[in-house]
Amino acid sequence: MIIDCDANATYAPDERIRGVISSCLESLGNPSSLHRGGQRARAAIEEARASVRRLVDAEEKDVIVFTSGATEANNTVVAAVSSATGPIISASTEHPCILQPLKRLASHGRTVVLVSPQSDGLITSESVASAVTPDTALVSIMAANNETGVINPIAAIVAKVRAIAPRALIHTDAAQLLGKGALSMREMGVDLLTISAHKIGALSGVGALCIRDGVDIEPFILGGPQESKLRGGTENVLGISVFGAVADRIASELPARVESMRALRDLFEERLARAIPDVEFNSVHLDRLPNTSNVYVPGVRADDLIVAMDLERILISSGAACTSGKPEPSHVLLAMGQSEERTRATIRVSFRADLSQEGCVRVVNALTNAVTRMRRMKREG
Ligand code: PLP
C-alpha cells in the first residue's frame, strides 16, 4: 500500500468521491442552456457555490467565482490591479502563482515590495504595515505556507493595512489553510480570498476566488457572462459539483480531521527526533498547519531521500521545485535566511487525516533507515 505524505501537493480524493462523481454525471449539461439539461447543471453549480461559501464562511452577498484553480484565482487578483498605479505589497514566501505575475508587473516598472519573513517563516503584521503606504493598491499575503505550514496573522494584517491604506485591496491565498484549520473570510476581513479544490480532496483543475460584496475587479478571462461576468468560459460542472460535495463533508468533519492530522504530525516529529536526534523541525513554535512537518536532515540530500522513500512506497517531497529537470532550492527557506545547503537537505512531510498511526510509524522507520544508510555511504565514500 502506498503511504501518501505529500498531501500539501494534492490531497488525493478518497473512495467516497466515486459516489459523488457518478451522481454528478447526471447533471453535466451546459449551465447556460435554457432547457432542463442546462438548468440541472446550473442548479448543481449554485448548490456547490453555497457549499463553498459556507466552508470559507463568506457573507451571503460575497461573490464566489469558480476558476480553474488557485493559480488562476491568484493571477486574477494581480491582473485586477495591473492598470492601477499604487504599490503592491506581498511576501517573498508566497507561492509562485503570486510571485511570477508580480515579477512581470515589476518588470514593467510597477512598484512591488516583497516583505521578508522572520527566520522562522512568519510574516508579521508589523512587517507588512511598515511596507504599506496610503496609496498601496494591493496587499497579498498567504494564509498558510505550503512548505513550512506557517499560518500568518491575516486578521491583524488587515487591521493594520486598513488603518494606513483604506482603499487598498487585501487578498489572501488560503489554498493550504482550507480543510486544515478554521478559515473565515468574514473574520479575516479580506477583500479577496483564493482556494483550490484539489487541496481538500476534490478534483484538480478547480478553485475559487471569493470576492467581498462591493469589491469591483476586472475579469481575467474574457468571454461569455459566466461567473457573474468575471470568468468567461463554460463552467467545469463536474469539478465544481465535486468541490461542493467535498466542501460539505469537510465542513462537518473539520475538527476531527484537524485533530487526526495534528496527532499524526506530533507522533511523527516526536518519534523522528528520538530516532535521528540531529534533525531540526522548522517553524515548530509557530501556529502552523496541523499536517505539515518541514524537516532539516543534516548531511542528506532531500532528493535522494525522496527517491529512497518512494522505493518504500512512501510519498514525501522536498522544498525544491523541480522545473526543467533541475531542482531549485526552496525560495521559502532561502527567504527565511537558510543556506542553500540546508534547503537541499530539507524535506516536507504533509499528512492526510486518514493515515493510521501504524502508517505514521512506518514512515518514521523508513526515514530512519534511509538516513542511516545514506550517512553510512557518505562516511565510507
Ligand atoms: N497557492 C498555494 C499556497 C499552493 O500551495 C498552491 C498549490 O501548490 C497553489 C496556490 C496553486 O494551486 P492550484 O494547483 O489550484 O493552481
Side-chain angles (χ1 to χ4, degrees):
M1 196 188 69
I2 290 178
I3 297 184
D4 181 358
C5 291
D6 198 12
N8 286 7
T10 201
Y11 199 104
D14 64 31
E15 274 301 308
R16 293 178 290 179
I17 206 171
R18 286 179 196 277
V20 177
I21 289 179
S22 62
S23 63
C24 291
L25 294 177
E26 311 279 314
S27 48
L28 289 187
N30 185 329
S32 299
S33 300
L34 283 181
H35 52 64
R36 71 188 61 208
Q39 283 172 22
R40 235 184 357 231
R42 162 75 37 227
I45 287 182
E46 295 316 319
E47 203 182 307
R49 204 183 309 281
S51 302
V52 167
R53 182 193 307 286
R54 273 193 299 276
L55 187 60
V56 301
D57 190 29
E59 301 279 357
E60 204 48 46
K61 285 188 164 170
D62 294 347
V63 180
I64 312 288
V65 174
F66 287 115
T67 64
S68 65
T71 297
E72 184 190 316
N74 284 351
N75 271 261
T76 303
V77 171
V78 175
V81 293
S82 63
S83 50
T85 51
I88 298 173
I89 314 300
S90 189
S92 47
T93 46
E94 293 290 312
H95 193 273
C97 61
I98 279 288
L99 292 176
Q100 291 303 322
L102 288 182
K103 197 170 161 189
R104 186 158 71 183
L105 281 190
S107 75
H108 293 155
R110 189 67 176 276
T111 303
V112 174
V113 180
L114 296 180
V115 172
S116 296
Q118 295 184 159
S119 61
D120 55 12
L122 186 72
I123 304 294
T124 64
S125 56
E126 291 77 18
S127 63
V128 176
S130 70
V132 172
T133 48
D135 60 341
T136 294
L138 170 70
V139 174
S140 180
I141 304 291
M142 69 199 330
N145 185 268
N146 42 307
E147 293 187 28
T148 59
V150 168
I151 296 176
N152 290 317
I154 300 301
I157 289 171
V158 171
K160 287 213 164 72
V161 172
R162 296 256 189 252
I164 303 166
R167 284 192 305 277
L169 282 179
I170 309 181
H171 167 247
T172 190
D173 173 355
Q176 289 293 343
L177 184 57
L178 189 73
K180 300 179 191 135
L183 169 59
S184 167
M185 179 158 171
R186 211 187 290 255
E187 283 175 17
M188 283 177 167
V190 290
D191 299 308
L192 300 153
L193 180 139
T194 288
I195 51 174
S196 172
H198 74 106
K199 306 290 186 188
I200 64 165
L203 303 176
S204 54
V206 191
L209 179 61
C210 310
I211 307 172
R212 197 163 62 79
D213 178 37
V215 170
D216 196 16
I217 67 161
E218 288 276 307
F220 179 54
I221 296 187
L222 298 170
Q226 291 92 349
E227 297 297 296
S228 311
K229 300 191 180 146
L230 285 170
R231 203 272 182 179
T234 304
E235 298 89 337
N236 175 354
V237 183
L238 177 64
I240 291 170
S241 304
V242 173
F243 192 12
V246 173
D248 280 345
R249 195 199 298 151
I250 301 258
S252 67
E253 294 174 353
L254 191 64
R257 188 176 147 99
V258 167
E259 244 351 275
S260 305
M261 288 174 168
R262 196 189 310 281
L264 290 165
R265 199 261 327 264
D266 290 352
L267 177 69
F268 168 79
E269 293 189 348
E270 190 213 310
R271 295 279 178 104
L272 193 69
R274 252 195 277 153
I276 316 175
D278 62 344
V279 292
E280 287 174 37
F281 300 100
N282 285 319
S283 316
V284 273
H285 303 298
L286 295 176
D287 190 13
R288 57 186 173 134
L289 294 177
N291 76 324
T292 307
S293 191
N294 192 264
V295 197
Y296 167 48
V297 190
V300 164
R301 282 171 47 101
D303 295 339
D304 294 342
L305 210 43
I306 291 168
V307 174
M309 294 294 278
D310 192 33
L311 291 174
E312 299 294 324
R313 303 172 73 76
I314 296 171
L315 317 182
I316 60 168
S317 76
S318 70
C322 192
T323 41
S324 63
K326 180 173 161 283
E328 298 290 336
S330 152
H331 73 281
V332 174
L333 300 177
L334 288 179
M336 288 159 62
Q338 300 191 356
S339 68
E340 191 172 322
E341 189 192 342
R342 182 176 164 131
T343 71
R344 291 193 189 280
T346 299
I347 55 169
R348 178 187 70 184
V349 181
S350 50
F351 294 99
R352 298 173 57 91
D354 54 8
L355 180 65
S356 65
Q357 295 221 335
E358 296 71 45
C360 181
V361 172
R362 211 184 110 197
V363 176
V364 175
N365 292 341
L367 260 178
T368 308
N369 291 340
V371 170
T372 309
R373 196 171 60 245
M374 283 176 191
R375 285 180 171 174
R376 192 183 331 112
M377 280 163 59
K378 201 171 168 189
R379 266 198 315 274
E380 292 169 357

